[in-house]
Amino acid sequence: MTERANPLDPLYALCNQGNSAEKYAGLPAFPRLVDLELTNTCNFRCLMCPTGNFSQRREKGLMSEEVFYRVLDQLAPTRTPIRFIRWGEPLLHPKVVDFIEACSRAGIVSHMNTNGSKLTEELAGQLIDAGLKSLKFSFQGVDRKSYEEMRNTDFFDGLLETIEMLARVRGDRAFPYLHISTTITYETPAQVEAFTKRVTGLVEKVSVGRTILDLVDLNAVRLKPHEVERLRWLKEHESLVKNHPECPEIFDKLSINWDGSVSACCNDPDNLMLVGDTATQTLAEIWSDRVITKYREMLVDMRHDELPVCKDCWDYMDLFATPEAGSKPAQKEES
């Protein structure tokens, strides 16, 4: 049996060391990691997501080849890893396989998050051949009911079948490293345990966190009345404990939108914390710009409540948190 390790684990371990003050003091000269948003469109209508519930005000689009290769050329000298994640479904981009191949040619580790709905057997083979090193399947809830409740589609069993298919197509090859991630609202420990038991063995890693619904503005969503009521109920019954984490983003990573603009955080759906634009600045310039520097200084002081995105940022990966637990570094790989 092939022994598999996540090629990004050493980097995640490095990023998760220390608190914000220690990370700021040891700030690298260039980002250790870059998240690329190939698109902010999605074929799902997930209730908790600004893309899916249509509350995202930002223009929709696909990353151009010009923007992608402009970024890639700047990452190639340091072989900075790229994660194709953020506010859309990356498999909707027609050039996704080409972009992964380009990363491989440059010696850059690539990762992707996907809802799995567009992953055919043919595409799975293409992604593997292109050199994708890590892939996370995004669930919601822990069973068919809780998945459909939040994702607004009956694809829980279909996603399990897709994961099995990809594992079969991968065969004995080492990559991509496979990861299942989900978040919960009201689900019980017994339900979580049953889910974990069911999917263990399908992939190399399973993680479960809490769903954050604070970013959902019930007055801004464009949903059917029964969907709004379902979302209202879920917000009232969410089990998230609201402890601000030590920031896992701004000291290690840049988040690049499909149009080349850059945010301080991957969890910024509407460009509330823009720090630069790749059309007019290099990544190195953005990384040391006064705007992002000011945000870092504020987060060292745990001034989350003064920032438009950070005020609704909580430690969603700690299932056993209590309000008195205080803050701790959030896990980079769960972004």
Side-chain angles (χ1 to χ4, degrees), residues 3 16-17 19 23 26 32 52 64 70 73 80 85 105 124 132 135 140 147 205-206 216 231 244 263 266 276 304-305:
E3 290 291 330
N16 288 328
Q17 289 179 4
N19 58 30
K23 290 166 73 66
R32 294 187 170 105
S64 68
R70 181 194 306 148
D73 287 346
T80 301
I85 67 173
R105 288 195 300 271
L132 183 67
L135 189 148
Q140 199 67 37
Y147 179 97
K205 182 174 181 180
V206 179
V216 179
L231 187 52
H244 286 310
S263 174
C266 71
H304 294 66
D305 292 335

Side-chain angles (χ1 to χ4, degrees), residues 78-112:
T78 54
R79 296 188 176 181
T80 301
I82 290 176
R83 301 194 303 184
F84 296 106
I85 67 173
R86 297 195 67 224
W87 290 107
E89 170 51 53
L91 291 182
L92 293 178
H93 199 293
K95 293 290 183 179
V96 62
V97 174
D98 293 340
F99 290 170
I100 292 169
E101 287 180 340
C103 290
S104 298
R105 288 195 300 271
I108 288 175
V109 170
S110 60
H111 164 88
M112 178 189 297

Side-chain angles (χ1 to χ4, degrees), residues 42 44-53 150-152 223:
C42 187
F44 276 14
R45 295 179 55 250
C46 303
L47 295 185
M48 75 292 181
C49 176
T51 302
N53 63 37
M150 191 72 82
R151 292 269 173 178
N152 242 338
L223 298 170

Side-chain angles (χ1 to χ4, degrees), residues 130-199:
L132 183 67
K133 292 297 189 290
S134 172
L135 189 148
K136 180 190 290 187
F137 290 99
S138 297
F139 275 76
Q140 199 67 37
V142 292
D143 54 24
R144 184 177 178 183
K145 175 185 176 294
S146 54
Y147 179 97
E148 183 175 4
E149 194 171 56
M150 191 72 82
R151 292 269 173 178
N152 242 338
T153 186
D154 184 9
F155 188 60
F156 182 82
D157 294 330
L159 183 50
L160 291 174
E161 292 170 1
T162 297
I163 296 169
E164 291 173 346
M165 175 273 292
L166 178 58
R168 174 174 52 78
V169 173
R170 181 183 61 176
D172 291 333
R173 285 173 284 194
F175 300 113
Y177 178 90
L178 301 181
H179 181 179
I180 284 175
S181 179
T182 192
T183 62
I184 60 174
T185 47
Y186 59 83
E187 292 87 338
T188 66
Q191 288 176 293
V192 173
E193 183 179 1
F195 171 78
T196 303
K197 184 177 180 180
R198 181 174 183 181
V199 299

Side-chain angles (χ1 to χ4, degrees), residues 15 23-25 29 73 87 106 157 193 222 240 242 249 280 282 301 303:
C15 292
K23 290 166 73 66
Y24 188 35
D73 287 346
W87 290 107
D157 294 330
E193 183 179 1
R222 287 181 286 159
L240 178 76
K242 296 183 177 180
E249 293 286 314
T280 57
T282 66
D301 294 333
R303 291 162 61 189

